[in-house]
Amino acid sequence: MTNITEYYDIAVFDEKLCETDEFYCGTEYEIEDIKEIKLPGFDTMYPGSLSLSDVNPYWRGDVGLVHDGSLRNHGIEFITKPLTYENSLKVFETLHNGLVLGPNPYTVRTSTHVHVNMCNMAMDQVKHMMLTYALLEPVFFAAVKPERQHNIHCVPLNYTLLPSVYASPIQDIIKSWSKYSALNLMPLRSQGTMEFRHLHGTGDIQVYQRWLTMLGELWTFVFNNPPN
């Protein structure tokens, strides 16, 4: 059965992502008001002296630094490589312990996006994941700050016309999708991931862990229960 990487001919980050039966994800952290950055094994970096790319991350271990023009006060978008659940938590802690922040690093402009690996899913499982999420969308929004469902960069599916295409083949659904939907399917074509944009900017590892647990449970259910 054709999987997402074969259909879109994706050059995956690591071939094991196409074969694993384990949950993997990459996270994007938007953080403002950064004074210093100190990651293990690297010299202290000062945001004002860094010249970062919008496209090519400046990698330090499992963490990459990317310029984001929407962030203020030396804000940076930090991204991670694809990681297991446990390693995602370790990197969260390592990153946030290595930041010296001002008094207001997590404003309404910041959010935390999680890209869930779908490279090991068949095309019908990908649609199954999308439909299962759609059924449970209110539960996911209940787990984040209330204002997220009114953010123009994180629009609930039920606030859009997207439910009208749910009966279509998944390939056509992806073509119809919007980047700023709370669940973003567009990265499936280039990275083999689904992007969950709900979570607000946070330095609280318990909040992040609860969110990652929800995504892991959704992924595990779909992986272990093929669509009927």
Side-chain angles (χ1 to χ4, degrees), residues 29-203:
Y29 303 101
E30 295 173 345
I31 304 174
E32 297 185 328
D33 208 2
I34 302 172
K35 309 300 183 185
E36 296 179 16
I37 306 165
K38 177 64 176 177
L39 297 174
F42 301 98
D43 294 335
T44 298
M45 295 176 280
Y46 298 95
S49 64
L50 293 174
S51 180
L52 300 176
S53 167
D54 295 320
V55 179
N56 300 310
Y58 179 66
W59 289 104
R60 286 294 179 264
D62 288 326
V63 177
L65 286 66
V66 181
H67 172 72
D68 186 332
S70 68
L71 300 176
R72 312 268 180 87
N73 298 326
H74 300 303
I76 292 175
E77 180 179 336
F78 298 88
I79 68 173
T80 75
K81 296 176 181 179
L83 301 168
T84 62
Y85 175 91
E86 291 79 10
N87 286 337
S88 294
L89 296 177
K90 290 177 182 177
V91 169
F92 181 101
E93 191 167 29
T94 298
L95 171 62
H96 289 83
N97 286 345
L99 298 178
V100 177
L101 302 174
N104 200 23
Y106 303 109
T107 68
V108 294
R109 290 180 296 274
T110 67
S111 53
T112 306
H113 303 162
V114 179
H115 284 255
V116 172
N117 175 47
M118 300 295 292
C119 292
N120 50 358
M121 296 272 197
M123 296 296 283
D124 60 345
Q125 288 178 293
V126 174
K127 183 173 182 180
H128 185 34
M129 178 90 156
M130 183 272 292
L131 291 174
T132 305
Y133 162 80
L135 181 67
L136 299 171
E137 185 171 64
V139 178
F140 284 85
F141 271 104
V144 301
K145 288 184 175 180
E147 58 265 29
R148 289 299 294 167
Q149 64 182 313
H150 304 295
N151 189 297
I152 61 171
H153 298 113
C154 179
V155 182
L157 303 188
N158 284 329
Y159 288 13
T160 73
L161 297 176
L162 291 174
S164 66
V165 302
Y166 286 172
S168 303
I170 185 62
Q171 300 91 326
D172 294 335
I173 293 174
I174 294 170
K175 288 178 185 178
S176 305
W177 216 253
S178 168
K179 173 183 177 179
Y180 293 119
S181 302
L183 172 63
N184 179 18
L185 302 186
M186 294 177 71
L188 286 166
R189 296 180 295 185
S190 56
Q191 301 169 225
T193 64
M194 282 188 181
E195 180 188 22
F196 292 78
R197 301 175 61 87
H198 313 58
L199 185 59
H200 48 274
T202 180

Side-chain angles (χ1 to χ4, degrees), residues 23 25 85 88-89 114 208-216:
F23 173 80
C25 68
Y85 175 91
S88 294
L89 296 177
V114 179
Y208 177 70
Q209 183 173 11
R210 284 196 297 268
W211 183 245
L212 215 61
T213 299
M214 291 181 68
L215 300 186

